[in-house]
Amino acid sequence: MDDKMTLGMNDLIEAILSGDDVRAEWALPTIVAYGDIAVSAFARQMAGAHADARWWIARTLAAIPTPQSVSLLTQMIEDCDSDVRACAAMALGELHAAEGADALIAHLADESAHVAEVCTMALSRLGTAAVSVLVRALQDGDSLTRIRAAKALAPIESHEAIPALIHALDDDNAIVTHYAE
């Protein structure tokens, strides 16, 4: 890559990380054309980035549909900031990234109700690719995980989930039963 192109990408990355939402939104459609080169640059920036910058990284990765982007988003769902976790979860759903299903399942009972709800929606967006992990969570998860797994499964309408949803009709938790219906 020549220096002019690199300089352009560096300026765009600086805009994404700047804390200025207008600049970041302006840079986003252009930076996605750099694909995995931009993803690698963002990965290098993660350790020293503040929460708002990490949120913008996740927001940008949602527009870069590559395995490397999905891998970084899967790591970002473990972030200490709940807004970053929620954005990473939403991005995995937007990308229909089945590879992120286990990470999303792990946060169905996140300490942040917002993150847990976004993970639920993201798993629903994954559709049939998430059914097996959702069924496992419905059968083996704690109460909050079972509630959100049932909620995520309902709109998918998968035949594979029917036996687990029927079994969930007898769950001790009335909310699980409600979503299983």
Side-chain angles (χ1 to χ4, degrees):
M1 181 177 302
D2 65 31
D3 288 339
K4 184 177 179 185
M5 193 169 187
T6 303
L7 178 62
M9 184 183 76
N10 290 337
D11 290 342
L12 293 167
I13 288 172
E14 181 185 319
I16 295 288
L17 303 177
S18 70
D20 180 340
D21 290 350
V22 173
R23 282 184 67 205
E25 200 63 55
W26 169 83
L28 194 145
T30 306
I31 193 82
V32 300
Y34 288 89
D36 280 339
I37 295 168
V39 175
S40 294
F42 285 130
R44 289 189 299 273
Q45 298 289 328
M46 286 292 296
H50 55 86
D52 187 59
R54 294 191 313 273
W55 185 94
W56 272 104
I57 290 171
R59 163 78 174 85
T60 304
L61 294 175
I64 305 175
T66 68
Q68 189 175 349
S69 182
V70 169
S71 177
L72 186 52
L73 286 164
T74 301
Q75 293 170 31
M76 292 179 79
I77 204 166
E78 302 299 329
D79 197 276
C80 62
D81 185 90
S82 64
D83 290 335
V84 174
R85 290 194 308 275
C87 190
M90 187 174 295
L92 289 168
E94 287 294 317
L95 292 172
H96 300 279
E99 308 91 313
D102 287 328
L104 292 166
I105 289 285
H107 288 275
L108 288 179
D110 193 277
E111 64 189 41
S112 163
H114 175 66
V115 171
E117 184 62 22
V118 172
C119 287
T120 303
M121 292 184 302
L123 284 158
S124 286
R125 288 197 60 133
L126 297 183
T128 56
V131 168
S132 63
V133 294
L134 283 166
V135 165
R136 191 170 60 245
L138 181 60
Q139 293 169 338
D140 302 333
D142 62 23
S143 183
L144 287 174
T145 300
R146 291 193 323 275
I147 288 168
R148 295 199 182 278
K151 184 177 182 180
L153 274 170
I156 297 173
E157 298 181 351
S158 167
H159 293 292
E160 181 185 344
I162 292 173
L165 288 168
I166 289 172
H167 186 264
L169 292 172
D170 294 326
D171 196 280
D172 293 337
N173 188 304
I175 301 171
V176 172
T177 302
H178 166 76
Y179 286 120
E181 291 176 339

